[in-house]
């Protein structure tokens, strides 16, 4: 049943998101084709328009990924589809697991598409060589394979995005326990929860900085160019640990809240 619920939600989401994916890729490829050193003024203007459109489509893709996921969750758990949802012989924790896994897959695919469009649009031989030099220097500093750094950064951003979506779920669940202004309270609770998680992350990093003077430079008014590359990676590593913890905690918390019951609109 979990697989069927996920398949239904993914089809509903990507029926809409695929439009932004196709448009972003189309204008990204068009920008790359039109970008020539000997291009005329007209072609440069068209290239600029295509470039701006590709960027707007990438932003729209990620924003709509978040919004469609939250709208679908609200409709299924509290809105027009809630009566069908809660009459199915399926536990609420299964419903939430389907929504959470669907959100994770949606974020993963949309973020991957954004990176693919960026690569198609902007990745040239000179840019690739510059990136390769920087990644190789970081890999040498940490004595790790070079490929682990982009993978690690990808995981960091994915965890951050998934954490934001789950916080939105938390806001919707708690907000709909109230009797008035449910949407407004959902937004406020979600935003407040996000601020709390960010505060906990910063506090954890600050405590770590008390043990490492080099790491503490991030919190001091110093020239950031003096901060070692390893410190930046350590910062990202600590952030990933916190975000992974928030994702697990959010999954457990939201499941427990739903098991206590829901108030449909």
């Amino acid at each position: 049943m979990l697989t069927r619920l996920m398949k239904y939600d993914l089809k509903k989401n990507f029926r809409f998101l695929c439009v932004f994916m196709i448009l972003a890729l189309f204008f990204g490829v068009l920008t790359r084709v039109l970008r020539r050193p000997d291009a005329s003024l007209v072609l440069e203007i068209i290239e600029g328009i295509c470039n701006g459109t590709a960027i707007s489509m990438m932003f729209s893709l990620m924003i709509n990924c978040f919004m469609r996921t939250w709208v679908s969750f609200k409709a299924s758990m509290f809105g027009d589809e809630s009566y069908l949802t809660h009459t199915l012989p399926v536990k609420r924790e299964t419903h939430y697991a389907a929504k959470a896994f669907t959100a994770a897959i949606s974020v993963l695919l949309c973020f991957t598409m954004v990176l693919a469009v960026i690569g198609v649009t902007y990745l040239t031989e000179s840019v690739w060589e510059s990136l390769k030099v920087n990644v190789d220097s970081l890999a040498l500093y940490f004595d790790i394979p070079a490929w682990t750094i982009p993978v690690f950064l990808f995981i960091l951003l994915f965890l951050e995005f998934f954490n934001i979506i789950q916080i939105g779920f938390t806001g919707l669940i708690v907000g709909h326990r109230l009797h008035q202004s449910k949407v407004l309270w959902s937004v406020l609770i979600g935003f407040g929860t996000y601020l709390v998680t960010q505060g906990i992350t910063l506090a954890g990093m600050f405590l770590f900085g008390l043990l490492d003077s080099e790491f503490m430079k991030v919190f001091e008014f110093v020239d950031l160019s003096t901060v070692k590359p390893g410190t930046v990676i350590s910062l990202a590593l600590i952030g990933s640990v916190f975000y992974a913890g928030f994702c697990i905690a959010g999954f457990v918390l939201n499941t427990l809240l739903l098991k206590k019951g829901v108030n449909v609109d």
Side-chain angles (χ1 to χ4, degrees), residues 230-250:
T231 303
V232 178
I233 297 297
S234 298
L235 184 70
L237 177 60
I238 295 173
S240 296
V241 172
F242 274 99
Y243 289 142
F246 291 142
C247 289
I248 296 171

Side-chain angles (χ1 to χ4, degrees), residues 211-227:
L211 304 175
D212 188 339
S213 59
E214 184 65 31
F215 191 85
M216 183 56 77
K217 288 182 180 180
V218 178
F219 295 93
E220 297 174 349
F221 294 99
V222 299
D223 185 0
L224 293 180
S225 63
T226 63
V227 178

Side-chain angles (χ1 to χ4, degrees), residues 66-78:
F66 285 82
M67 297 304 297
R68 294 293 298 182
T69 301
W70 289 329
V71 168
S72 176
F73 182 82
K74 179 182 180 299
S76 298
M77 303 306 296
F78 311 105

Side-chain angles (χ1 to χ4, degrees), residues 21-82:
M21 287 183 169
I22 293 171
L23 288 174
L25 186 59
F26 172 77
F27 284 105
V29 171
L30 198 56
T31 301
R32 184 62 176 265
V33 171
L34 293 173
R35 184 179 293 123
R36 296 180 179 180
D38 58 343
S40 64
L41 178 60
V42 174
L43 284 180
E44 287 182 356
I45 294 174
I46 296 174
E47 181 212 331
I49 294 173
C50 292
N51 184 35
T53 305
I55 293 172
S56 66
M57 289 299 104
M58 286 187 280
F59 276 105
S60 297
L61 174 60
M62 292 307 300
I63 291 171
N64 278 279
C65 176
F66 285 82
M67 297 304 297
R68 294 293 298 182
T69 301
W70 289 329
V71 168
S72 176
F73 182 82
K74 179 182 180 299
S76 298
M77 303 306 296
F78 311 105
D80 297 336
E81 302 174 16
S82 59

